[in-house]
Amino acid sequence: MTPEAIRTVSQLRQEFYYQFAAKMNVPVKITTRNPSTGNLPMASWIDDRQRMNYLCVYVHTAPDELLPERPFILRVSINKGAGIVQSRLWGRDCRGINQSWHFDLTLLPEEILDFCTWIVNLIKSHRQTGVLGVPEPPHPFDFKLSNSQILVNEAWTQKARQEIS
């Protein structure tokens, strides 16, 4: 990645995590790990079933010295293998990691902060109503349904999909 892309993703990740934590209305722990060692910073929280959930913001593709024209695209992953997750961060309050639901949103850097409230609403309503209880996204996207055809598991904003094509 170019130094500019590294700075941008670091700033956006930090701002997104702090906004996310403020909007969740439950305790959220933000870990600061070293991305160069493969351990990404993440935000985690305990759900009503005492399971740890986690959210990671990371780079899907980015320009670098060899491919400066490569698109700069980010991914927000919920409960999906982005780095090593340690439920022991939560101690006795935690009964393990939530493995029953995951979600990936692939988007452009300029779209990520607009999606913070939408992602919080998705998390809060996923067990109750699936996508039916979530308001319209701030930017149009394409999505894939899970096997149950109720919950969205993966979405790309239309602009991110265009950039990658």
Side-chain angles (χ1 to χ4, degrees), residues 115-140:
F115 270 97
C116 189
T117 300
W118 187 87
I119 288 172
V120 168
N121 289 332
L122 176 70
I123 290 166
K124 289 180 177 181
S125 69
H126 88 274
R127 282 190 52 223
Q128 299 159 359
T129 61
V131 293
L132 300 175
V134 179
E136 286 293 313
H139 299 276

Side-chain angles (χ1 to χ4, degrees), residues 2 29 32 46 71 85 90 97 109 112 147 157 159 162:
T2 63
K29 291 185 180 181
T32 55
I46 300 294
V85 179
W90 285 94
I97 297 170
I112 191 168
N147 292 337
T157 63
K159 288 181 181 179
Q162 289 170 353

Side-chain angles (χ1 to χ4, degrees), residues 31 47 126:
T31 60
D47 64 19
H126 88 274

Side-chain angles (χ1 to χ4, degrees), residues 91-149:
R92 292 182 186 179
D93 293 339
C94 181
R95 292 185 181 164
I97 297 170
N98 183 355
Q99 296 179 4
S100 66
W101 178 70
H102 67 274
F103 178 75
D104 283 326
L105 175 61
T106 307
L107 67 173
L108 299 179
E110 57 269 20
E111 296 174 316
I112 191 168
L113 297 177
D114 295 342
F115 270 97
C116 189
T117 300
W118 187 87
I119 288 172
V120 168
N121 289 332
L122 176 70
I123 290 166
K124 289 180 177 181
S125 69
H126 88 274
R127 282 190 52 223
Q128 299 159 359
T129 61
V131 293
L132 300 175
V134 179
E136 286 293 313
H139 299 276
F141 63 67
D142 303 316
F143 61 90
K144 293 181 182 177
L145 295 175
S146 69
N147 292 337
S148 67
Q149 299 296 308

Side-chain angles (χ1 to χ4, degrees), residues 71-97:
F72 189 15
I73 299 175
L74 301 177
R75 182 164 281 162
V76 178
S77 286
I78 302 168
N79 297 337
K80 192 164 179 192
I84 299 169
V85 179
Q86 298 177 358
S87 59
R88 65 185 161 106
L89 291 170
W90 285 94
R92 292 182 186 179
D93 293 339
C94 181
R95 292 185 181 164
I97 297 170

Side-chain angles (χ1 to χ4, degrees), residues 8-19 30 113:
T8 300
V9 74
S10 178
Q11 290 169 347
L12 285 172
R13 180 184 287 133
Q14 182 178 10
E15 189 170 346
F16 184 88
Y17 287 167
Y18 285 111
Q19 284 184 20
I30 300 171
L113 297 177

